[in-house]
Amino acid sequence: MPDPIEVRKVPLHHVSDASGLTDLIDSGVIEADRVVAVIGKTEGNGGVNDYTRIIADRAFREVLLAKGGRDEAAVRAIPIVWSGGTDGVLCPHATIFATVPPQSAPRTGEPRLSVGFAMSEPLLPEEIGRTAMVAKVATGVREAMARAGITDPADVHYVQTKTPLLTIHTIRDAKARGRAVWTENTHESMDLSNGTTALGVATALGELDRVADSDILHNRALYSSVASCSSGVELDRAQIVVVGNVAGIGGRYRIGHAVMRDALDQDGIWSAIRDAGLPLPQRPHHSDLDGRLVNIFLKCEASADGLVRGRRNAMLDDSDVHWHRQIKACVGGVAAAVTGDPAVFVSVSAAHQGPDGGGPVAAIVDLS
């Protein structure tokens, strides 16, 4: 049985700020050597050249190296997933997951939060957007499930991944080896990498029976309801964090999930919070959360038909501000209004992650 999990959300006061992590360690809330994953938002542009992710990653790993006993290689292996871009009211923050000794956590036979992680085999640039990547991701998801002690895919409520996208350098590398890439548009490759990864998650969890190369980015009826996929330039394989519930693990926290059907679907967020085990009135308000919501994690996407609830918008036609930033700001505002907290994890590029124009939502709550 894995050890129980402590999970805390901390703000980032500037792009290289890891003081929240330092404070948790210094105050004895968590131990540096027990941190198993970090998932956070940085304040960059969220694009291919968003180096705020690298800066934040370095800051957090330096704290873990200085405060703990793990060597550099072990610290480098910790999954730290940064999603760039805090458009609108979204706030830079990090959610930190750490194991705690079983004797220090509340004992219960009820399902409680568990986390597992894995790294896939290296992903070649020519595999991004093809079923070879789907297969490698699926293998990694199953490995992470096993590490979390999760045997039933229904107990998985959130799979956060980070995968490589295509850059001019990796495209050139593929061509030098006589291989063709799916696209030479590096920005488009963000959607491509995320969508392919999501189909790998769906395959591993039995949400889909099979995926063909022709489905990727084309058949949007195929999706995962728990995948949250990000991509960047800082790695060459899939970094996978599986979060679910395990009966008997102990601890205070539980996770649930749902989907937003469109960009305004507040009920989808409330459904995820209820699924995590927090009782709410029929017409909830953020005051009903009573400080028990740790964080929500959601993906969003501009609907391919250019509509929200039958009304036309111009996001996909805007040449000045990319739709990635517009939909992220919109859904971030909706999520912040629901929770009363703008430090929520909202990530864009949700191809094959939830229904078209919507996206998956996961919620972690404190049941103590």
Side-chain angles (χ1 to χ4, degrees), residues 4 39 74 88 117 120 191 194 196 211 230 243 253 264 267 284 286 359 365:
I39 299 171
F117 67 92
S120 77
D191 297 331
N194 291 357
T196 311
V211 175
S230 294
V243 188
Y253 305 97
L264 304 179
D267 288 341
H286 60 75
V365 301

Side-chain angles (χ1 to χ4, degrees), residues 67-97:
K67 296 286 184 178
R70 290 184 280 196
D71 63 21
E72 188 171 350
V75 169
R76 191 165 55 246
I78 299 167
I80 299 181
V81 179
W82 296 106
S83 170
T86 48
D87 303 86
V89 298
L90 291 173
C91 295
H93 70 279
T95 304
I96 301 161
F97 300 83

Side-chain angles (χ1 to χ4, degrees), residues 267 270 274 280-286 288:
D267 288 341
W270 288 120
R274 287 191 177 97
L280 295 169
Q282 185 175 0
R283 294 180 63 84
H285 183 265
H286 60 75
D288 297 312

Side-chain angles (χ1 to χ4, degrees), residues 10 38 78 88 175 205 221 245 277 308 329:
V10 298
V38 177
I78 299 167
K175 287 182 175 180
L205 300 181
N245 297 315
V308 175

